[in-house]
Amino acid sequence: MPHNWESCFLLHARSFGDTSIIADIFTQSSGKLSIMAKGAKNPRSKFFGHLVPFSELRIIVTGKSEMKTLTQIDSSFASQSSKGPHDLYTYLYVNELMIRLLPKGLPNQELYDLYKNFVELARADVISEIDLRAFELELLEVLGYGINFDTDIKNNSEFKDSIIYSYIPEKGFYNAGDADGFSSQEIFAIKNRELEKIDKVKLKQLLLMAINACLDGRDLSSREIFKKIRI
């Protein structure tokens, strides 16, 4: 990997030994990477205090193995202030989704822009449910897990106004005669991201099923944390 400056966001960091940090980052030009920041917990380190979430960073990493080594960080670069987003849980949840769903080492400018816009929105105001659902939909679409909003999967036909459709993860909508499903108008509204027209509970359940299918049965730690907070 050339020793060039990388724009990136910190997704997750954990201690390694007494003074170092291992971090998962999402870079603009190289995708998701794991990096070792040696001595970063030492107050005299040039990395100390700079590996923070919620801000876009500029770094240089080296190494040919999967674990890269952080060698430089641009302490003067700050596209955002160090203040975190208003909804910390939502940010943690989105970061965990990125860690779980992104393959390592594959750059994706569309996804980088999507994530950057979400961070900027989170910093500016409280994230609404519609904002979060829109991000989930776009994330699935960009990663190739997008929901089929075009045809009834049972007979490959167009959706009909008189029918209520149920959703099967990784496949799409079909006529199951279930009164709790989605009308054709609702399906088209979700496709066009007119999410304010959709019942919030139904929309959340739809995205929950779609995302869980991508996680191969593994639950998210952030969901467990949120459950404990609500108890």
Side-chain angles (χ1 to χ4, degrees):
M1 175 182 294
H3 299 170
N4 297 325
W5 287 102
E6 292 260 20
S7 294
C8 71
F9 287 94
L10 179 73
L11 298 178
H12 181 260
R14 58 192 182 278
S15 296
F16 183 78
D18 294 331
T19 61
S20 298
I21 290 174
I22 291 177
D24 294 313
I25 60 172
F26 181 39
T27 71
Q28 185 172 14
S29 59
S30 301
K32 187 178 70 173
L33 299 175
S34 293
I35 63 170
M36 169 77 73
K38 296 179 180 179
K41 293 166 62 178
N42 188 324
R44 286 185 270 185
S45 169
K46 60 185 176 183
F47 306 135
F48 183 77
H50 295 303
L51 282 173
V52 293
F54 322 136
S55 296
E56 191 172 22
L57 310 170
R58 289 183 74 234
I59 63 173
I60 293 178
V61 297
T62 61
K64 296 182 179 180
S65 65
E66 186 173 301
M67 177 71 70
K68 309 302 179 186
T69 299
L70 180 65
T71 60
Q72 297 289 337
I73 192 164
D74 187 351
S75 59
S76 64
F77 178 80
S79 64
Q80 342 238 352
S81 72
S82 59
K83 182 182 177 183
H86 293 276
D87 191 337
L88 181 59
Y89 162 73
T90 299
Y91 191 85
L92 293 174
Y93 165 70
V94 166
N95 274 7
E96 191 173 8
L97 277 184
M98 298 284 286
I99 292 171
R100 292 286 192 90
L101 298 182
L102 267 62
K104 283 193 174 182
L106 292 178
N108 188 316
Q109 185 63 50
E110 185 178 4
L111 183 55
Y112 192 86
D113 292 340
L114 174 68
Y115 181 81
K116 182 176 180 178
N117 290 338
F118 179 85
V119 171
E120 291 174 351
L121 181 63
R123 296 181 52 73
D125 199 358
V126 175
I127 291 291
S128 69
E129 281 195 52
I130 289 179
D131 294 328
L132 182 56
R133 300 289 92 82
F135 176 85
E136 290 171 330
L137 282 165
E138 294 299 328
L139 178 64
L140 292 174
E141 190 73 32
V142 173
L143 292 176
Y145 301 120
I147 298 172
N148 176 9
F149 294 110
D150 296 318
T151 56
D152 182 331
I153 61 171
K154 290 294 186 181
N155 51 29
N156 199 33
S157 63
E158 294 183 355
F159 298 117
K160 298 178 181 179
D161 293 343
S162 59
I163 296 176
I164 299 298
Y165 295 89
S166 296
Y167 173 71
I168 300 178
E170 299 183 290
K171 293 184 178 180
F173 295 91
Y174 72 105
N175 178 10
D178 187 352
D180 295 327
F182 293 84
S183 68
S184 61
Q185 291 87 353
E186 289 175 318
I187 293 172
F188 292 139
I190 300 172
K191 177 182 178 180
N192 296 324
R193 303 302 188 259
E194 298 171 351
L195 304 184
E196 67 281 352
K197 298 180 179 180
I198 310 301
D199 178 83
K200 291 182 179 179
V201 175
K202 286 172 61 176
L203 184 60
K204 181 178 181 178
Q205 186 62 31
L206 173 68
L207 270 300
L208 183 64
M209 288 190 291
I211 289 172
N212 282 350
C214 302
L215 296 173
D216 297 324
R218 299 172 298 166
D219 204 359
L220 297 173
S221 300
S222 52
R223 288 178 183 166
E224 294 302 315
I225 293 172
F226 188 56
K227 289 177 184 176
K228 293 177 182 179
I229 293 174
R230 296 182 65 183
I231 294 175

